[in-house]
Amino acid sequence: MKSLLIGRHAKSPWINFNVSDHDRELNSVGVKEASVMGKRLFQKNISFDLMLTSSATRALTTCQLIASEIKYPLEKIGVNREIYGIDIGLLKDMISRTPNEEVDSLAIFGHNPVSHIFAEELRGKKINKFPT
């Protein structure tokens, strides 16, 4: 694999007592920001051979909005419940099981704190902000 994008879901409401954490949706800012991020990736000619996402509604929606902007087929998005609540060891294992001969570029959309900590580990130094 030559490139890896570790993405965090876009903005969602902090608390909605009527919905489980897994089922929280993006708020209007999150929808707009995810679309903008997809447009930026498209303008920079960044695409992915494989896009994986947590099954949580906010992560899945973020991934779908970005995929739409970069012309990635929505039906090819890999939805994996394991990514919701995953630890770094399992995330590394998931990435290492990705077939190198088929996937040069991978995007994974998940949650903090794992996304932030893993990005810091890959970068080799602290990232002060890892915004939604």
Side-chain angles (χ1 to χ4, degrees):
M1 179 179 337
K2 295 178 184 171
S3 63
L4 173 66
L5 180 135
I6 301 295
R8 180 181 175 202
H9 63 80
K11 294 215 182 275
S12 62
W14 278 96
I15 296 176
N16 182 344
F17 294 109
N18 298 318
V19 177
S20 72
D21 181 66
H22 185 271
D23 296 333
R24 283 191 299 138
E25 297 180 351
L26 297 180
N27 62 23
S28 59
V29 172
V31 170
K32 180 180 177 184
E33 289 177 345
S35 293
V36 167
M37 181 54 66
K39 287 176 181 152
R40 285 183 184 162
L41 291 170
F42 184 77
Q43 289 168 351
K44 293 178 181 273
N45 202 30
I46 296 172
S47 62
F48 303 100
D49 297 318
L50 180 61
M51 296 181 81
L52 302 174
T53 183
S54 161
S55 58
T57 302
R58 61 195 182 277
L60 175 58
T61 304
T62 299
C63 183
Q64 289 170 329
L65 289 166
I66 290 172
S68 292
E69 295 294 341
I70 64 170
K71 313 300 186 229
Y72 185 89
L74 298 181
E75 66 276 4
K76 289 189 175 184
I77 293 171
V79 181
N80 189 324
R81 187 163 177 89
E82 234 182 27
I83 296 172
Y84 180 77
I86 201 167
D87 65 39
I88 290 178
L90 288 174
L91 181 59
K92 287 178 181 178
D93 186 53
M94 181 181 293
I95 293 166
S96 70
R97 289 190 320 257
T98 304
N100 284 333
E101 61 279 353
E102 297 171 23
V103 179
D104 283 336
S105 56
L106 171 65
I108 300 178
F109 294 87
H111 309 272
N112 270 353
V114 171
S115 294
H116 187 163
I117 293 167
F118 186 55
E120 285 182 332
E121 185 177 310
L122 290 173
R123 186 168 183 231
K125 63 183 188 180
K126 185 163 180 53
I127 300 171
N128 290 327
K129 289 187 176 185
F130 198 79
T132 52

